[in-house]
Amino acid sequence: MVLSGLSRRSSRSWTVVAVAVVCLVAGVLAVTRDPHPAHADPKALPHTTVEVSAARCGRGWSAPVPGVQVFDLKNPTDGAAEVLLEDPASRAVYGEVEDIGPGTTRQLTVRLGRGSYAFKCVPDDADAVTGPTVRIAAGRSGPAAAPVTEHDLIPPALAYQKWIGGGLADVVRLTTALRDAIDGGDLAAARADWLPAHLEYERLGAAYDAFGDADGAIDGTDAGLPGGVHDKDFTGFHRIEYGLWHGEPASGLRGPAAGLVRAVGALRDGWATARMDPAQLGLRAHEILENTVQFELTGRTDYGSGSNLATARANLDGTVQVLTRLDPLLATRYPGLPDLRGALDRVGGMLDGFDHGGTWTPLGRLDRRQREHVDAALGDLVERLASVATLCDPRRTV
C-alpha cells in the first residue's frame, strides 16, 4: 500500500521473516511462520513435549530418535520466550520458534540425525539458558546455520553506508544535470538525463528506511494524493517524469526540478550523521526485489517513461551491492549462495536484453512469453533472498 506523500518503499508493510518453524527447502535453512511444513504431516510424526522455562529448559527430551519429528514447546511461565535448537558445541541452529506466549505450546518440526543437540531458551528480559545436551547416534540431520548477531552485522552495514554516501554524490550530480536541462528549456535533453539520475537513486535501495521522509519527496508517487498527479504534494522523480512525458512545458517543471535537487543535496549532506540499523541489512536485500515485483513489474510506478525494466535492473544492482557486503557472513551459512549469485547474473543478463542503447522496452510491449519469463525470474530471486533475510536476522545468543 502506498500512502499519500510517501514513496512506495517507505510506506509498505515489511514482510515478516521472523521465525516460527524451520523446514528443509532446497537444502538451506528456511524459516517461516507456517507451523505445518509441506514436507510432513505433524500428526503422523513422533512428538516430544519439551519445557522452555528458564529453570527447566529442554526438560522432557529423554528418548531421542533420528528423523523428522515434532517438538511441542511448552511455556509454563508468565512471560514470553524464544527457543532455539542448536548444536551446543558449534552453536549452529537447527530450529527456532519466537514469541512463545505465557502458558502456551508451539510446535517445532525438524529433521535430526547423528550429532549433539540442546535447546536454548531465551526469555524476554532475561539471560539465555541452555538445556541438557542430547545425543543421537544415527541418521542425517536437516540444515543448520550459526546464528548471526547484531555485532556481526556492524562491519557490513558500515561498509554499505559508506558506499551509499558515494552513490548519493552521484545522484546529486545527475539530478543537477537534469535540472539544468529543464532550466534551459531543453526537454529532449531532460528526458535523456532523467533516467540515469533516477536509476542511480534506485540502486541505493537498501538505505531507503534510513532516508526517512526524504525518500517520499525524492521518489514518491501520487497514490493517495487528493489531486493525483496534479497534487502540490506530488514531487520528485515521478513528478518530473509525468511532466516530461505528458507535454508539460519547461516552466512548469522548473520548480519540481529545483525541489528534487534540494532534496537529494540535503540527503547527501546529512548522510554522514545518518545511522542505518545493521539488523535490517539482510531483510533489505530481500525487500528490494520484493518491491520490484510489486511496483515495477506491475507498472504502478510508470508515469510515461516506460522505464520499469530499467528500474528493475537498477534494483538488481542494488541487491548485489548488499549481498557483496554480507558475503563474509553468508559464505559459511548459506550453501545456496553460489546458485543465488548465478541466478542474479542470469536475471541481470535477461533484463539487459531489454536495453536498446539506453532506450528500454516498456512493460506493455513484452509478449506473453517474455512477461512470464520476467515475472518468474524475479519471483524466484525473491524466494531465494528470503533465506538471506532469515539467516541474517540477528539472534540473541546470551
Side-chain angles (χ1 to χ4, degrees), residues 5 213-222 225 228-229 231-241 255-257 259-260 263:
D213 292 341
D215 186 49
I218 294 169
D219 207 28
T221 72
D222 70 319
L225 296 176
V229 294
D231 197 283
K232 64 180 179 59
D233 290 326
F234 182 35
T235 62
F237 280 112
H238 292 302
R239 166 65 182 88
I240 296 170
E241 178 188 8
L260 176 60

mmCIF file with all atom_site columns, all heavy atoms in Angstrom, residues 5 213-222 225 228-229 231-241 255-257 259-260 263:
data_model
loop_
_atom_site.group_PDB
_atom_site.id
_atom_site.type_symbol
_atom_site.label_atom_id
_atom_site.label_alt_id
_atom_site.label_comp_id
_atom_site.label_asym_id
_atom_site.label_entity_id
_atom_site.label_seq_id
_atom_site.pdbx_PDB_ins_code
_atom_site.Cartn_x
_atom_site.Cartn_y
_atom_site.Cartn_z
_atom_site.occupancy
_atom_site.B_iso_or_equiv
_atom_site.pdbx_formal_charge
_atom_site.auth_seq_id
_atom_site.auth_comp_id
_atom_site.auth_asym_id
_atom_site.auth_atom_id
_atom_site.pdbx_PDB_model_num
ATOM 1   N N   . GLY A 1 5   ? 1.954  11.102 -0.074  1.00 0.00 ? 5   GLY A N   1
ATOM 2   C CA  . GLY A 1 5   ? 3.188  11.799 0.244   1.00 0.00 ? 5   GLY A CA  1
ATOM 3   C C   . GLY A 1 5   ? 4.374  10.907 0.534   1.00 0.00 ? 5   GLY A C   1
ATOM 4   O O   . GLY A 1 5   ? 5.457  11.397 0.815   1.00 0.00 ? 5   GLY A O   1
ATOM 5   N N   . ASP A 1 213 ? 11.748 10.700 5.636   1.00 0.00 ? 213 ASP A N   1
ATOM 6   C CA  . ASP A 1 213 ? 10.793 11.435 4.814   1.00 0.00 ? 213 ASP A CA  1
ATOM 7   C C   . ASP A 1 213 ? 11.389 11.894 3.491   1.00 0.00 ? 213 ASP A C   1
ATOM 8   O O   . ASP A 1 213 ? 10.660 12.150 2.529   1.00 0.00 ? 213 ASP A O   1
ATOM 9   C CB  . ASP A 1 213 ? 10.273 12.650 5.578   1.00 0.00 ? 213 ASP A CB  1
ATOM 10  C CG  . ASP A 1 213 ? 9.410  12.266 6.766   1.00 0.00 ? 213 ASP A CG  1
ATOM 11  O OD1 . ASP A 1 213 ? 8.932  11.111 6.793   1.00 0.00 ? 213 ASP A OD1 1
ATOM 12  O OD2 . ASP A 1 213 ? 9.221  13.110 7.664   1.00 0.00 ? 213 ASP A OD2 1
ATOM 13  N N   . ALA A 1 214 ? 12.729 11.986 3.426   1.00 0.00 ? 214 ALA A N   1
ATOM 14  C CA  . ALA A 1 214 ? 13.362 12.435 2.185   1.00 0.00 ? 214 ALA A CA  1
ATOM 15  C C   . ALA A 1 214 ? 13.041 11.510 1.030   1.00 0.00 ? 214 ALA A C   1
ATOM 16  O O   . ALA A 1 214 ? 12.902 11.957 -0.116  1.00 0.00 ? 214 ALA A O   1
ATOM 17  C CB  . ALA A 1 214 ? 14.874 12.539 2.376   1.00 0.00 ? 214 ALA A CB  1
ATOM 18  N N   . ASP A 1 215 ? 12.888 10.216 1.291   1.00 0.00 ? 215 ASP A N   1
ATOM 19  C CA  . ASP A 1 215 ? 12.597 9.273  0.216   1.00 0.00 ? 215 ASP A CA  1
ATOM 20  C C   . ASP A 1 215 ? 11.259 9.577  -0.439  1.00 0.00 ? 215 ASP A C   1
ATOM 21  O O   . ASP A 1 215 ? 11.111 9.476  -1.654  1.00 0.00 ? 215 ASP A O   1
ATOM 22  C CB  . ASP A 1 215 ? 12.615 7.848  0.762   1.00 0.00 ? 215 ASP A CB  1
ATOM 23  C CG  . ASP A 1 215 ? 12.468 6.815  -0.335  1.00 0.00 ? 215 ASP A CG  1
ATOM 24  O OD1 . ASP A 1 215 ? 13.174 6.900  -1.348  1.00 0.00 ? 215 ASP A OD1 1
ATOM 25  O OD2 . ASP A 1 215 ? 11.617 5.921  -0.183  1.00 0.00 ? 215 ASP A OD2 1
ATOM 26  N N   . GLY A 1 216 ? 10.272 9.972  0.358   1.00 0.00 ? 216 GLY A N   1
ATOM 27  C CA  . GLY A 1 216 ? 8.980  10.319 -0.204  1.00 0.00 ? 216 GLY A CA  1
ATOM 28  C C   . GLY A 1 216 ? 9.052  11.535 -1.093  1.00 0.00 ? 216 GLY A C   1
ATOM 29  O O   . GLY A 1 216 ? 8.398  11.602 -2.141  1.00 0.00 ? 216 GLY A O   1
ATOM 30  N N   . ALA A 1 217 ? 9.847  12.522 -0.696  1.00 0.00 ? 217 ALA A N   1
ATOM 31  C CA  . ALA A 1 217 ? 9.986  13.738 -1.502  1.00 0.00 ? 217 ALA A CA  1
ATOM 32  C C   . ALA A 1 217 ? 10.756 13.471 -2.787  1.00 0.00 ? 217 ALA A C   1
ATOM 33  O O   . ALA A 1 217 ? 10.518 14.114 -3.809  1.00 0.00 ? 217 ALA A O   1
ATOM 34  C CB  . ALA A 1 217 ? 10.691 14.821 -0.687  1.00 0.00 ? 217 ALA A CB  1
ATOM 35  N N   . ILE A 1 218 ? 11.667 12.508 -2.748  1.00 0.00 ? 218 ILE A N   1
ATOM 36  C CA  . ILE A 1 218 ? 12.528 12.231 -3.908  1.00 0.00 ? 218 ILE A CA  1
ATOM 37  C C   . ILE A 1 218 ? 11.898 11.232 -4.866  1.00 0.00 ? 218 ILE A C   1
ATOM 38  O O   . ILE A 1 218 ? 11.974 11.409 -6.088  1.00 0.00 ? 218 ILE A O   1
ATOM 39  C CB  . ILE A 1 218 ? 13.900 11.707 -3.422  1.00 0.00 ? 218 ILE A CB  1
ATOM 40  C CG1 . ILE A 1 218 ? 14.645 12.815 -2.665  1.00 0.00 ? 218 ILE A CG1 1
ATOM 41  C CG2 . ILE A 1 218 ? 14.735 11.189 -4.591  1.00 0.00 ? 218 ILE A CG2 1
ATOM 42  C CD1 . ILE A 1 218 ? 15.866 12.324 -1.919  1.00 0.00 ? 218 ILE A CD1 1
ATOM 43  N N   . ASP A 1 219 ? 11.262 10.196 -4.351  1.00 0.00 ? 219 ASP A N   1
ATOM 44  C CA  . ASP A 1 219 ? 10.820 9.093  -5.215  1.00 0.00 ? 219 ASP A CA  1
ATOM 45  C C   . ASP A 1 219 ? 9.386  8.673  -4.926  1.00 0.00 ? 219 ASP A C   1
ATOM 46  O O   . ASP A 1 219 ? 9.004  7.530  -5.170  1.00 0.00 ? 219 ASP A O   1
ATOM 47  C CB  . ASP A 1 219 ? 11.767 7.903  -5.035  1.00 0.00 ? 219 ASP A CB  1
ATOM 48  C CG  . ASP A 1 219 ? 11.824 7.017  -6.278  1.00 0.00 ? 219 ASP A CG  1
ATOM 49  O OD1 . ASP A 1 219 ? 11.600 7.537  -7.374  1.00 0.00 ? 219 ASP A OD1 1
ATOM 50  O OD2 . ASP A 1 219 ? 12.114 5.816  -6.133  1.00 0.00 ? 219 ASP A OD2 1
ATOM 51  N N   . GLY A 1 220 ? 8.586  9.602  -4.396  1.00 0.00 ? 220 GLY A N   1
ATOM 52  C CA  . GLY A 1 220 ? 7.203  9.273  -4.071  1.00 0.00 ? 220 GLY A CA  1
ATOM 53  C C   . GLY A 1 220 ? 6.316  9.196  -5.298  1.00 0.00 ? 220 GLY A C   1
ATOM 54  O O   . GLY A 1 220 ? 6.668  9.651  -6.384  1.00 0.00 ? 220 GLY A O   1
ATOM 55  N N   . THR A 1 221 ? 5.155  8.593  -5.124  1.00 0.00 ? 221 THR A N   1
ATOM 56  C CA  . THR A 1 221 ? 4.157  8.517  -6.194  1.00 0.00 ? 221 THR A CA  1
ATOM 57  C C   . THR A 1 221 ? 2.962  9.393  -5.815  1.00 0.00 ? 221 THR A C   1
ATOM 58  O O   . THR A 1 221 ? 2.940  10.020 -4.754  1.00 0.00 ? 221 THR A O   1
ATOM 59  C CB  . THR A 1 221 ? 3.693  7.071  -6.403  1.00 0.00 ? 221 THR A CB  1
ATOM 60  O OG1 . THR A 1 221 ? 2.877  6.672  -5.297  1.00 0.00 ? 221 THR A OG1 1
ATOM 61  C CG2 . THR A 1 221 ? 4.890  6.137  -6.533  1.00 0.00 ? 221 THR A CG2 1
ATOM 62  N N   . ASP A 1 222 ? 1.944  9.403  -6.673  1.00 0.00 ? 222 ASP A N   1
ATOM 63  C CA  . ASP A 1 222 ? 0.742  10.205 -6.397  1.00 0.00 ? 222 ASP A CA  1
ATOM 64  C C   . ASP A 1 222 ? -0.321 9.392  -5.670  1.00 0.00 ? 222 ASP A C   1
ATOM 65  O O   . ASP A 1 222 ? -1.425 9.886  -5.447  1.00 0.00 ? 222 ASP A O   1
ATOM 66  C CB  . ASP A 1 222 ? 0.165  10.749 -7.702  1.00 0.00 ? 222 ASP A CB  1
ATOM 67  C CG  . ASP A 1 222 ? -0.448 9.659  -8.563  1.00 0.00 ? 222 ASP A CG  1
ATOM 68  O OD1 . ASP A 1 222 ? 0.162  8.563  -8.652  1.00 0.00 ? 222 ASP A OD1 1
ATOM 69  O OD2 . ASP A 1 222 ? -1.517 9.882  -9.146  1.00 0.00 ? 222 ASP A OD2 1
ATOM 70  N N   . LEU A 1 225 ? -2.933 10.812 -2.989  1.00 0.00 ? 225 LEU A N   1
ATOM 71  C CA  . LEU A 1 225 ? -2.990 12.273 -3.016  1.00 0.00 ? 225 LEU A CA  1
ATOM 72  C C   . LEU A 1 225 ? -4.325 12.716 -3.617  1.00 0.00 ? 225 LEU A C   1
ATOM 73  O O   . LEU A 1 225 ? -4.721 12.221 -4.680  1.00 0.00 ? 225 LEU A O   1
ATOM 74  C CB  . LEU A 1 225 ? -1.836 12.849 -3.823  1.00 0.00 ? 225 LEU A CB  1
ATOM 75  C CG  . LEU A 1 225 ? -0.422 12.587 -3.273  1.00 0.00 ? 225 LEU A CG  1
ATOM 76  C CD1 . LEU A 1 225 ? 0.632  13.136 -4.232  1.00 0.00 ? 225 LEU A CD1 1
ATOM 77  C CD2 . LEU A 1 225 ? -0.255 13.200 -1.896  1.00 0.00 ? 225 LEU A CD2 1
ATOM 78  N N   . GLY A 1 228 ? -4.081 13.699 -7.223  1.00 0.00 ? 228 GLY A N   1
ATOM 79  C CA  . GLY A 1 228 ? -3.376 12.783 -8.101  1.00 0.00 ? 228 GLY A CA  1
ATOM 80  C C   . GLY A 1 228 ? -2.087 13.381 -8.624  1.00 0.00 ? 228 GLY A C   1
ATOM 81  O O   . GLY A 1 228 ? -1.323 14.007 -7.877  1.00 0.00 ? 228 GLY A O   1
ATOM 82  N N   . VAL A 1 229 ? -1.833 13.224 -9.918  1.00 0.00 ? 229 VAL A N   1
ATOM 83  C CA  . VAL A 1 229 ? -0.579 13.713 -10.494 1.00 0.00 ? 229 VAL A CA  1
ATOM 84  C C   . VAL A 1 229 ? -0.514 15.238 -10.514 1.00 0.00 ? 229 VAL A C   1
ATOM 85  O O   . VAL A 1 229 ? 0.556  15.812 -10.768 1.00 0.00 ? 229 VAL A O   1
ATOM 86  C CB  . VAL A 1 229 ? -0.381 13.168 -11.920 1.00 0.00 ? 229 VAL A CB  1
ATOM 87  C CG1 . VAL A 1 229 ? -0.195 11.663 -11.897 1.00 0.00 ? 229 VAL A CG1 1
ATOM 88  C CG2 . VAL A 1 229 ? -1.547 13.557 -12.829 1.00 0.00 ? 229 VAL A CG2 1
ATOM 89  N N   . ASP A 1 231 ? -1.474 17.058 -7.847  1.00 0.00 ? 231 ASP A N   1
ATOM 90  C CA  . ASP A 1 231 ? -1.445 17.500 -6.456  1.00 0.00 ? 231 ASP A CA  1
ATOM 91  C C   . ASP A 1 231 ? -0.134 18.216 -6.154  1.00 0.00 ? 231 ASP A C   1
ATOM 92  O O   . ASP A 1 231 ? 0.938  17.819 -6.633  1.00 0.00 ? 231 ASP A O   1
ATOM 93  C CB  . ASP A 1 231 ? -1.607 16.290 -5.533  1.00 0.00 ? 231 ASP A CB  1
ATOM 94  C CG  . ASP A 1 231 ? -1.986 16.669 -4.121  1.00 0.00 ? 231 ASP A CG  1
ATOM 95  O OD1 . ASP A 1 231 ? -1.093 17.119 -3.363  1.00 0.00 ? 231 ASP A OD1 1
ATOM 96  O OD2 . ASP A 1 231 ? -3.174 16.530 -3.779  1.00 0.00 ? 231 ASP A OD2 1
ATOM 97  N N   . LYS A 1 232 ? -0.201 19.248 -5.332  1.00 0.00 ? 232 LYS A N   1
ATOM 98  C CA  . LYS A 1 232 ? 1.003  20.014 -4.997  1.00 0.00 ? 232 LYS A CA  1
ATOM 99  C C   . LYS A 1 232 ? 2.014  19.182 -4.230  1.00 0.00 ? 232 LYS A C   1
ATOM 100 O O   . LYS A 1 232 ? 3.213  19.508 -4.200  1.00 0.00 ? 232 LYS A O   1
ATOM 101 C CB  . LYS A 1 232 ? 0.624  21.246 -4.171  1.00 0.00 ? 232 LYS A CB  1
ATOM 102 C CG  . LYS A 1 232 ? 0.004  20.926 -2.821  1.00 0.00 ? 232 LYS A CG  1
ATOM 103 C CD  . LYS A 1 232 ? -0.336 22.191 -2.062  1.00 0.00 ? 232 LYS A CD  1
ATOM 104 C CE  . LYS A 1 232 ? -0.990 21.883 -0.719  1.00 0.00 ? 232 LYS A CE  1
ATOM 105 N NZ  . LYS A 1 232 ? -0.126 21.045 0.157   1.00 0.00 ? 232 LYS A NZ  1
ATOM 106 N N   . ASP A 1 233 ? 1.574  18.122 -3.594  1.00 0.00 ? 233 ASP A N   1
ATOM 107 C CA  . ASP A 1 233 ? 2.490  17.279 -2.823  1.00 0.00 ? 233 ASP A CA  1
ATOM 108 C C   . ASP A 1 233 ? 3.094  16.141 -3.647  1.00 0.00 ? 233 ASP A C   1
ATOM 109 O O   . ASP A 1 233 ? 3.832  15.311 -3.116  1.00 0.00 ? 233 ASP A O   1
ATOM 110 C CB  . ASP A 1 233 ? 1.769  16.700 -1.599  1.00 0.00 ? 233 ASP A CB  1
ATOM 111 C CG  . ASP A 1 233 ? 1.456  17.761 -0.564  1.00 0.00 ? 233 ASP A CG  1
ATOM 112 O OD1 . ASP A 1 233 ? 2.259  18.700 -0.418  1.00 0.00 ? 233 ASP A OD1 1
ATOM 113 O OD2 . ASP A 1 233 ? 0.396  17.657 0.094   1.00 0.00 ? 233 ASP A OD2 1
ATOM 114 N N   . PHE A 1 234 ? 2.749  16.081 -4.920  1.00 0.00 ? 234 PHE A N   1
ATOM 115 C CA  . PHE A 1 234 ? 3.381  15.103 -5.801  1.00 0.00 ? 234 PHE A CA  1
ATOM 116 C C   . PHE A 1 234 ? 4.700  15.705 -6.269  1.00 0.00 ? 234 PHE A C   1
ATOM 117 O O   . PHE A 1 234 ? 4.718  16.685 -7.026  1.00 0.00 ? 234 PHE A O   1
ATOM 118 C CB  . PHE A 1 234 ? 2.463  14.802 -6.984  1.00 0.00 ? 234 PHE A CB  1
ATOM 119 C CG  . PHE A 1 234 ? 2.994  13.769 -7.946  1.00 0.00 ? 234 PHE A CG  1
ATOM 120 C CD1 . PHE A 1 234 ? 3.756  12.688 -7.506  1.00 0.00 ? 234 PHE A CD1 1
ATOM 121 C CD2 . PHE A 1 234 ? 2.712  13.859 -9.304  1.00 0.00 ? 234 PHE A CD2 1
ATOM 122 C CE1 . PHE A 1 234 ? 4.236  11.735 -8.388  1.00 0.00 ? 234 PHE A CE1 1
ATOM 123 C CE2 . PHE A 1 234 ? 3.183  12.914 -10.201 1.00 0.00 ? 234 PHE A CE2 1
ATOM 124 C CZ  . PHE A 1 234 ? 3.941  11.847 -9.745  1.00 0.00 ? 234 PHE A CZ  1
ATOM 125 N N   . THR A 1 235 ? 5.822  15.132 -5.806  1.00 0.00 ? 235 THR A N   1
ATOM 126 C CA  . THR A 1 235 ? 7.136  15.726 -6.045  1.00 0.00 ? 235 THR A CA  1
ATOM 127 C C   . THR A 1 235 ? 8.128  14.667 -6.509  1.00 0.00 ? 235 THR A C   1
ATOM 128 O O   . THR A 1 235 ? 7.814  13.489 -6.580  1.00 0.00 ? 235 THR A O   1
ATOM 129 C CB  . THR A 1 235 ? 7.675  16.380 -4.757  1.00 0.00 ? 235 THR A CB  1
ATOM 130 O OG1 . THR A 1 235 ? 7.835  15.360 -3.748  1.00 0.00 ? 235 THR A OG1 1
ATOM 131 C CG2 . THR A 1 235 ? 6.731  17.463 -4.240  1.00 0.00 ? 235 THR A CG2 1
ATOM 132 N N   . GLY A 1 236 ? 9.331  15.116 -6.797  1.00 0.00 ? 236 GLY A N   1
ATOM 133 C CA  . GLY A 1 236 ? 10.432 14.192 -7.037  1.00 0.00 ? 236 GLY A CA  1
ATOM 134 C C   . GLY A 1 236 ? 10.506 13.664 -8.453  1.00 0.00 ? 236 GLY A C   1
ATOM 135 O O   . GLY A 1 236 ? 9.973  14.232 -9.407  1.00 0.00 ? 236 GLY A O   1
ATOM 136 N N   . PHE A 1 237 ? 11.200 12.543 -8.576  1.00 0.00 ? 237 PHE A N   1
ATOM 137 C CA  . PHE A 1 237 ? 11.463 11.955 -9.883  1.00 0.00 ? 237 PHE A CA  1
ATOM 138 C C   . PHE A 1 237 ? 10.192 11.696 -10.684 1.00 0.00 ? 237 PHE A C   1
ATOM 139 O O   . PHE A 1 237 ? 10.122 11.986 -11.879 1.00 0.00 ? 237 PHE A O   1
ATOM 140 C CB  . PHE A 1 237 ? 12.241 10.641 -9.727  1.00 0.00 ? 237 PHE A CB  1
ATOM 141 C CG  . PHE A 1 237 ? 13.718 10.824 -9.507  1.00 0.00 ? 237 PHE A CG  1
ATOM 142 C CD1 . PHE A 1 237 ? 14.308 10.497 -8.293  1.00 0.00 ? 237 PHE A CD1 1
ATOM 143 C CD2 . PHE A 1 237 ? 14.528 11.318 -10.527 1.00 0.00 ? 237 PHE A CD2 1
ATOM 144 C CE1 . PHE A 1 237 ? 15.676 10.653 -8.099  1.00 0.00 ? 237 PHE A CE1 1
ATOM 145 C CE2 . PHE A 1 237 ? 15.894 11.478 -10.339 1.00 0.00 ? 237 PHE A CE2 1
ATOM 146 C CZ  . PHE A 1 237 ? 16.470 11.150 -9.114  1.00 0.00 ? 237 PHE A CZ  1
ATOM 147 N N   . HIS A 1 238 ? 9.187  11.120 -10.036 1.00 0.00 ? 238 HIS A N   1
ATOM 148 C CA  . HIS A 1 238 ? 8.000  10.730 -10.789 1.00 0.00 ? 238 HIS A CA  1
ATOM 149 C C   . HIS A 1 238 ? 7.154  11.942 -11.190 1.00 0.00 ? 238 HIS A C   1
ATOM 150 O O   . HIS A 1 238 ? 6.469  11.906 -12.224 1.00 0.00 ? 238 HIS A O   1
ATOM 151 C CB  . HIS A 1 238 ? 7.185  9.709  -10.006 1.00 0.00 ? 238 HIS A CB  1
ATOM 152 C CG  . HIS A 1 238 ? 7.878  8.392  -9.863  1.00 0.00 ? 238 HIS A CG  1
ATOM 153 N ND1 . HIS A 1 238 ? 8.294  7.650  -10.957 1.00 0.00 ? 238 HIS A ND1 1
ATOM 154 C CD2 . HIS A 1 238 ? 8.259  7.684  -8.763  1.00 0.00 ? 238 HIS A CD2 1
ATOM 155 C CE1 . HIS A 1 238 ? 8.881  6.540  -10.542 1.00 0.00 ? 238 HIS A CE1 1
ATOM 156 N NE2 . HIS A 1 238 ? 8.873  6.535  -9.216  1.00 0.00 ? 238 HIS A NE2 1
ATOM 157 N N   . ARG A 1 239 ? 7.202  12.996 -10.390 1.00 0.00 ? 239 ARG A N   1
ATOM 158 C CA  . ARG A 1 239 ? 6.508  14.227 -10.804 1.00 0.00 ? 239 ARG A CA  1
ATOM 159 C C   . ARG A 1 239 ? 7.147  14.775 -12.083 1.00 0.00 ? 239 ARG A C   1
ATOM 160 O O   . ARG A 1 239 ? 6.446  15.182 -13.024 1.00 0.00 ? 239 ARG A O   1
ATOM 161 C CB  . ARG A 1 239 ? 6.595  15.262 -9.675  1.00 0.00 ? 239 ARG A CB  1
ATOM 162 C CG  . ARG A 1 239 ? 6.223  16.691 -10.077 1.00 0.00 ? 239 ARG A CG  1
ATOM 163 C CD  . ARG A 1 239 ? 4.760  16.799 -10.467 1.00 0.00 ? 239 ARG A CD  1
ATOM 164 N NE  . ARG A 1 239 ? 4.420  18.133 -10.889 1.00 0.00 ? 239 ARG A NE  1
ATOM 165 C CZ  . ARG A 1 239 ? 4.526  18.612 -12.127 1.00 0.00 ? 239 ARG A CZ  1
ATOM 166 N NH1 . ARG A 1 239 ? 4.982  17.811 -13.103 1.00 0.00 ? 239 ARG A NH1 1
ATOM 167 N NH2 . ARG A 1 239 ? 4.189  19.846 -12.426 1.00 0.00 ? 239 ARG A NH2 1
ATOM 168 N N   . ILE A 1 240 ? 8.454  14.788 -12.120 1.00 0.00 ? 240 ILE A N   1
ATOM 169 C CA  . ILE A 1 240 ? 9.157  15.281 -13.310 1.00 0.00 ? 240 ILE A CA  1
ATOM 170 C C   . ILE A 1 240 ? 8.937  14.339 -14.482 1.00 0.00 ? 240 ILE A C   1
ATOM 171 O O   . ILE A 1 240 ? 8.736  14.774 -15.624 1.00 0.00 ? 240 ILE A O   1
ATOM 172 C CB  . ILE A 1 240 ? 10.651 15.457 -13.000 1.00 0.00 ? 240 ILE A CB  1
ATOM 173 C CG1 . ILE A 1 240 ? 10.834 16.536 -11.913 1.00 0.00 ? 240 ILE A CG1 1
ATOM 174 C CG2 . ILE A 1 240 ? 11.437 15.820 -14.251 1.00 0.00 ? 240 ILE A CG2 1
ATOM 175 C CD1 . ILE A 1 240 ? 12.236 16.608 -11.359 1.00 0.00 ? 240 ILE A CD1 1
ATOM 176 N N   . GLU A 1 241 ? 8.965  13.031 -14.213 1.00 0.00 ? 241 GLU A N   1
ATOM 177 C CA  . GLU A 1 241 ? 8.705  12.051 -15.269 1.00 0.00 ? 241 GLU A CA  1
ATOM 178 C C   . GLU A 1 241 ? 7.346  12.313 -15.912 1.00 0.00 ? 241 GLU A C   1
ATOM 179 O O   . GLU A 1 241 ? 7.225  12.327 -17.156 1.00 0.00 ? 241 GLU A O   1
ATOM 180 C CB  . GLU A 1 241 ? 8.747  10.635 -14.688 1.00 0.00 ? 241 GLU A CB  1
ATOM 181 C CG  . GLU A 1 241 ? 8.434  9.548  -15.706 1.00 0.00 ? 241 GLU A CG  1
ATOM 182 C CD  . GLU A 1 241 ? 8.280  8.169  -15.065 1.00 0.00 ? 241 GLU A CD  1
ATOM 183 O OE1 . GLU A 1 241 ? 8.259  8.080  -13.819 1.00 0.00 ? 241 GLU A OE1 1
ATOM 184 O OE2 . GLU A 1 241 ? 8.157  7.187  -15.830 1.00 0.00 ? 241 GLU A OE2 1
ATOM 185 N N   . GLY A 1 255 ? 10.213 24.271 -11.013 1.00 0.00 ? 255 GLY A N   1
ATOM 186 C CA  . GLY A 1 255 ? 10.039 24.161 -9.565  1.00 0.00 ? 255 GLY A CA  1
ATOM 187 C C   . GLY A 1 255 ? 10.270 22.752 -9.053  1.00 0.00 ? 255 GLY A C   1
ATOM 188 O O   . GLY A 1 255 ? 11.051 22.541 -8.116  1.00 0.00 ? 255 GLY A O   1
ATOM 189 N N   . PRO A 1 256 ? 9.610  21.738 -9.629  1.00 0.00 ? 256 PRO A N   1
ATOM 190 C CA  . PRO A 1 256 ? 9.862  20.355 -9.198  1.00 0.00 ? 256 PRO A CA  1
ATOM 191 C C   . PRO A 1 256 ? 11.317 19.931 -9.352  1.00 0.00 ? 256 PRO A C   1
ATOM 192 O O   . PRO A 1 256 ? 11.849 19.204 -8.499  1.00 0.00 ? 256 PRO A O   1
ATOM 193 C CB  . PRO A 1 256 ? 8.940  19.534 -10.095 1.00 0.00 ? 256 PRO A CB  1
ATOM 194 C CG  . PRO A 1 256 ? 7.820  20.460 -10.438 1.00 0.00 ? 256 PRO A CG  1
ATOM 195 C CD  . PRO A 1 256 ? 8.456  21.804 -10.555 1.00 0.00 ? 256 PRO A CD  1
ATOM 196 N N   . ALA A 1 257 ? 11.994 20.382 -10.440 1.00 0.00 ? 257 ALA A N   1
ATOM 197 C CA  . ALA A 1 257 ? 13.389 20.008 -10.637 1.00 0.00 ? 257 ALA A CA  1
ATOM 198 C C   . ALA A 1 257 ? 14.279 20.633 -9.573  1.00 0.00 ? 257 ALA A C   1
ATOM 199 O O   . ALA A 1 257 ? 15.186 19.974 -9.028  1.00 0.00 ? 257 ALA A O   1
ATOM 200 C CB  . ALA A 1 257 ? 13.853 20.423 -12.036 1.00 0.00 ? 257 ALA A CB  1
ATOM 201 N N   . GLY A 1 259 ? 13.306 21.504 -6.606  1.00 0.00 ? 259 GLY A N   1
ATOM 202 C CA  . GLY A 1 259 ? 12.996 20.825 -5.352  1.00 0.00 ? 259 GLY A CA  1
ATOM 203 C C   . GLY A 1 259 ? 13.676 19.484 -5.234  1.00 0.00 ? 259 GLY A C   1
ATOM 204 O O   . GLY A 1 259 ? 14.135 19.083 -4.161  1.00 0.00 ? 259 GLY A O   1
ATOM 205 N N   . LEU A 1 260 ? 13.767 18.762 -6.365  1.00 0.00 ? 260 LEU A N   1
ATOM 206 C CA  . LEU A 1 260 ? 14.440 17.464 -6.352  1.00 0.00 ? 260 LEU A CA  1
ATOM 207 C C   . LEU A 1 260 ? 15.916 17.623 -6.026  1.00 0.00 ? 260 LEU A C   1
ATOM 208 O O   . LEU A 1 260 ? 16.468 16.869 -5.205  1.00 0.00 ? 260 LEU A O   1
ATOM 209 C CB  . LEU A 1 260 ? 14.263 16.782 -7.702  1.00 0.00 ? 260 LEU A CB  1
ATOM 210 C CG  . LEU A 1 260 ? 14.987 15.448 -7.890  1.00 0.00 ? 260 LEU A CG  1
ATOM 211 C CD1 . LEU A 1 260 ? 14.514 14.412 -6.874  1.00 0.00 ? 260 LEU A CD1 1
ATOM 212 C CD2 . LEU A 1 260 ? 14.805 14.928 -9.317  1.00 0.00 ? 260 LEU A CD2 1
ATOM 213 N N   . ALA A 1 263 ? 16.351 18.321 -2.380  1.00 0.00 ? 263 ALA A N   1
ATOM 214 C CA  . ALA A 1 263 ? 16.097 17.143 -1.535  1.00 0.00 ? 263 ALA A CA  1
ATOM 215 C C   . ALA A 1 263 ? 17.270 16.173 -1.551  1.00 0.00 ? 263 ALA A C   1
ATOM 216 O O   . ALA A 1 263 ? 17.699 15.689 -0.499  1.00 0.00 ? 263 ALA A O   1
ATOM 217 C CB  . ALA A 1 263 ? 14.819 16.451 -1.990  1.00 0.00 ? 263 ALA A CB  1
#
